[in-house]
Amino acid sequence: CQYGHLKVFDLETKTLVRTIIAQEGVDILSLSMIDTDLYTCSANGQIQRWSASFDCTASWKAHDGIVLSSLITHCYKDDSWRLVTGANDNCIKV
């Protein structure tokens, strides 16, 4: 959502479970999920990782521009997962 709000819904009952303020005043533009971890990518280049209990478990500056897209991909070489992001700073980061 805009202004850093993250809304969590129960898809069965279609009810709002919780609203989290990831970063106040900064739009969240991309979401990616792996297992129970949710990654939020924001307009200020920040990425945050959220646990199933809605705790922010990590936060880092990934780009100097607006993070426009993100995806999770599997690396078969070492059987691990990667978060790939793209931003308007002309960079794709893994």
Side-chain angles (χ1 to χ4, degrees):
C1 294
Q2 293 180 323
Y3 305 112
H5 290 220
L6 176 64
K7 295 185 180 189
V8 180
F9 285 88
D10 181 329
L11 294 179
E12 265 185 39
T13 62
K14 298 178 182 148
T15 56
L16 180 64
V17 175
R18 180 170 295 192
T19 299
I20 301 167
I21 298 176
Q23 294 182 46
E24 196 164 345
V26 180
D27 293 349
I28 298 171
L29 298 174
S30 180
L31 301 171
S32 291
M33 191 162 193
I34 179 75
D35 293 329
T36 59
D37 288 335
L38 174 67
Y39 294 86
T40 60
C41 302
S42 302
N44 63 355
Q46 288 285 122
I47 296 177
Q48 294 178 314
R49 183 179 64 209
W50 300 86
S51 69
S53 58
F54 309 113
D55 294 320
C56 182
T57 57
S59 180
W60 65 94
K61 179 85 170 173
H63 291 275
D64 291 325
I66 300 168
V67 182
L68 299 169
S69 62
S70 65
L71 65 91
I72 304 282
T73 186
H74 185 257
C75 179
Y76 290 99
K77 183 177 181 180
D78 60 0
D79 194 32
S80 63
W81 295 93
R82 307 272 198 251
L83 174 66
V84 181
T85 59
N88 71 346
D89 60 359
N90 298 322
C91 292
I92 296 174
K93 296 197 177 181
V94 180

